[in-house]
Amino acid sequence: MITLSRREVIWISFMLFSMFFGAGNLIFPPFLGQSAGESVWVSLIGFILSAVGLPILGVVAIAKAGTFYDLASRVHPLFALVFPFLIYVSIGPGLAIPRAGSLAFEMGMAPFLPQEMVISPYSLLVYTVVFFGVVFWLSLSPSKLVDRFGKLLTPALLTLIVLIFLMSLVTPMGAPTAPVEKYAAHPVIQGFLDGYLTMDALAALVFGIVIANTLRSKGVNDSRAISANMIKAGLGAGLLLTVIYVMLGILGSQSAFLGHAENGAQILTSLMNHLFGESGTVILGVVFTIACLCVSIGLVTSCSQYFQGLFSGLSYRIWVTILCLLSMAIANLGLTQILSVSVPILGAIYPVAIVLIVLALFGSWIPASSKVYPTTVGLVACFGIVDMVNGTFLNHQWDFWLTFLPLYKEGAGWIMPALLAACVGMLLDFGKKAASVYKRGPVS
C-alpha cells in the first residue's frame, strides 16, 4: 500500500481549497463582517459551521461511500443517474463556470477599461475567449492539478489575502459598529444561513472524483487509503478556509467607516482603495482572477471526468473542449439571465445534497439498504420542487401554507420534512425486520 507524505497531503489540501474558494467565497465574509459589526465573531462561528463544515463533511461522505454514484444509489438506481447529472450541469456549465468568467471580467478587467469598452459586448467576448482558453489549457492534464494549484495558484492567492490582512493591521481602520437587522437578533443563525448560501456542499460532492483520481495518479489505489487521504485533504482545506474567512470577516467588520455597501464586492473595493490606494484595484483584480480561474479549472476537470464516465464515446479532452466553449457562450449571455434560471434549481437540489451527506455520515447506524434513504431524500426533493415552483412560477402564492414550517422564512424549511421522513423510514425498517422475524417463526 502506497502512503503519501505529509507534504503531498498538504499540496492536495491546497488544491482542494482553491477549488472551493471562488469569487463568491471572497464576497460573503466581508459583507457578514460589516453587517454583524460587534457580533462578527459570533456570526463567523455560524458561517464557518456551514460554509466550511458542510463542504468538508461532503468530502468525508464521498470518501466513506466510495463514489457519488454509490452514495446516490442508496436512494434508487434511477436517482443515482438523474441527481448527479443535475448537480454537474447546474454548478458546472449551467451556472458556476460561466459566472466565474463573468465575475473575473467585472472585477479583474472592467475597472481598467474605459466605460464605452466596458459596456461593449465585444470586450467581454474577447476576455472570456482568453479566460476560458487558459482554463482549457490547464484542465487538459488533471494529474498536474496538484502542481498547478497546490504549488502555484493557491500559495499566490493565500499570499495576496494575507498581505491585505497584514496591511489592515498597520493602517488605521474603523471600529466595528452595532450589528444590523437579523445579525442583531440572531447572529449565529444568520451567519450559518450566509454560509449555507455558498452552496459549497454541492461542490464537495463534485470534487470528490477529482481528489480520488489525483490520489490514484500518485499510486494510491487501495480504497481505504483513498478514503483516509481524502478526509485528510478535506480537513486541511477546511482549516485554510476557516483562516481566510476569519480574516475577511474581520476586515469587513472594520469597514463601516467607508460607508454602507450593498454587497461584499463593494466592501472589498473600498477597503483596497483605502489600504493600497490606486494599486489596490490591481491587487483585488488579481485576487478575483486567480480565485475564478481556480474554481473554473476545478469544475471543468470534475465535470469532464464525470461526463467521460457517463458517455464513454467521447474522450476527456473533447469534454473539456465542450464545457469550455459552452461556458464561454453562456457567460456572454448575461449573468442575470443565468441566475434567474439556475439559482432556483440549485435551491431545490441543495437540501437533497445535504440530506445525502448527513445520512452517509451516519452509515454505522443507517445501512445503505435502509428505507431512510428513499423516504428522506424523496420527501425533501418533493419539498424542493414545491418551493421552486412557488418562488419561480407562482410568485410566492403558497407562502401562507409553507410558512407554517419551522425555519421556512430562514431558507431551511426542508429540515422538518426531512426529520419526519427519516422517522417514517426507520419505522419501515423496523416493520421489515419484524416481518422477517415473524416469517422465520419462533426459535426452538
Side-chain angles (χ1 to χ4, degrees):
M1 182 188 302
I2 297 177
T3 57
L4 298 181
S5 66
R6 181 178 299 178
R7 175 174 294 184
E8 288 176 312
V9 173
I10 291 174
W11 291 137
I12 294 176
S13 298
F14 274 25
M15 180 187 79
L16 182 57
F17 162 83
S18 63
M19 292 165 69
F20 276 128
F21 195 80
N25 304 76
L26 273 169
I27 292 173
F28 275 111
F31 185 77
L32 176 148
Q34 186 179 88
S35 301
E38 297 170 348
S39 300
V40 61
W41 285 104
V42 182
S43 292
L44 277 173
I45 291 174
F47 184 85
I48 290 169
L49 285 175
S50 56
V52 178
L54 288 177
I56 302 313
L57 290 178
V59 174
V60 174
I62 296 299
K64 290 170 68 69
T67 65
F68 189 10
Y69 179 84
D70 293 335
L71 177 57
S73 295
R74 299 177 182 181
V75 179
H76 192 275
L78 181 60
F79 177 83
L81 292 176
V82 174
F83 186 65
F85 181 83
L86 287 176
I87 287 184
Y88 277 99
V89 171
S90 298
I91 72 167
L95 173 61
I97 304 175
R99 182 181 64 180
S102 298
L103 284 173
F105 172 76
E106 293 292 336
M107 300 301 298
M109 180 57 66
F112 310 103
L113 298 177
Q115 185 61 30
E116 58 270 17
M117 291 187 66
V118 173
I119 62 177
S120 172
Y122 297 105
S123 298
L124 178 60
L125 176 61
V126 172
Y127 182 86
T128 52
V129 168
V130 176
F131 181 87
F132 286 106
V134 175
V135 172
F136 171 80
W137 173 56
L138 293 176
S139 299
L140 287 178
S141 302
S143 61
K144 297 181 180 180
L145 286 182
V146 173
D147 292 330
R148 291 168 176 168
F149 278 7
K151 299 179 181 179
L152 180 61
L153 293 178
T154 304
L157 180 62
L158 291 173
T159 300
L160 288 171
I161 295 176
V162 172
L163 173 65
I164 295 170
F165 182 73
L166 292 177
M167 189 66 179
S168 71
L169 298 179
V170 298
T171 304
M173 299 283 286
T177 56
V180 298
E181 299 177 355
K182 294 181 180 179
Y183 294 92
H186 307 288
V188 176
I189 295 177
Q190 188 58 40
F192 184 89
L193 293 174
D194 285 347
Y196 169 91
L197 293 175
T198 63
M199 295 195 172
D200 276 344
L202 291 180
L205 298 175
V206 168
F207 292 151
I209 187 174
V210 178
I211 303 302
N213 288 339
T214 299
L215 292 169
R216 292 188 184 99
S217 71
K218 294 184 172 297
V220 182
N221 294 308
D222 180 77
S223 59
R224 289 177 299 176
I226 291 175
S227 297
N229 283 292
M230 284 180 65
I231 293 173
K232 290 179 183 178
L235 294 174
L239 178 61
L240 289 173
L241 286 169
T242 299
V243 172
I244 297 303
Y245 286 152
V246 169
M247 289 183 180
L248 292 174
I250 293 175
L251 284 171
S253 70
Q254 299 173 340
S255 66
F257 76 101
L258 296 172
H260 174 73
E262 295 181 358
N263 55 62
Q266 294 180 3
I267 295 173
L268 285 175
T269 300
S270 300
L271 277 171
M272 294 302 292
N273 289 332
H274 174 72
L275 295 174
F276 299 95
E278 294 182 358
S279 60
T281 305
V282 177
I283 298 174
L284 186 61
V286 173
V287 171
F288 266 90
T289 301
I290 294 177
C292 291
L293 195 62
C294 289
V295 167
S296 297
I297 295 168
L299 288 171
V300 167
T301 301
S302 56
C303 289
S304 298
Q305 291 178 347
Y306 168 75
F307 287 122
Q308 181 192 13
L310 194 62
F311 306 101
S312 57
L314 298 178
S315 66
Y316 172 81
R317 184 186 183 92
I318 292 177
W319 278 114
V320 171
T321 305
I322 292 173
L323 292 176
C324 286
L325 290 175
L326 183 60
S327 299
M328 182 184 71
I330 295 176
N332 282 271
L333 291 177
L335 190 59
T336 302
Q337 293 183 357
I338 300 171
L339 293 175
S340 64
V341 176
S342 300
V343 168
I345 297 176
L346 284 173
I349 63 178
Y350 195 70
V352 178
I354 295 178
V355 168
L356 271 178
I357 291 171
V358 173
L359 293 178
L361 296 175
F362 285 92
S364 300
W365 298 276
I366 305 175
S369 59
S370 172
K371 295 296 183 183
V372 173
Y373 279 93
T375 56
T376 308
V377 171
L379 186 56
V380 171
C382 289
F383 170 83
I385 294 173
V386 169
D387 193 35
M388 180 182 67
V389 171
N390 177 49
T392 306
F393 302 105
L394 300 180
N395 196 26
H396 298 280
Q397 293 181 22
W398 293 346
D399 277 2
F400 175 78
W401 304 104
L402 292 174
T403 50
F404 283 102
L405 288 171
L407 299 177
Y408 178 77
K409 293 182 179 180
E410 288 77 13
W414 55 270
I415 291 180
M416 184 56 68
L419 293 174
L420 293 175
C423 293
V424 172
M426 292 178 185
L427 289 175
L428 291 175
D429 286 342
F430 178 79
K432 182 179 179 180
K433 187 180 297 185
S436 177
V437 172
Y438 177 81
K439 286 181 180 180
R440 289 199 302 266
V443 179
S444 57

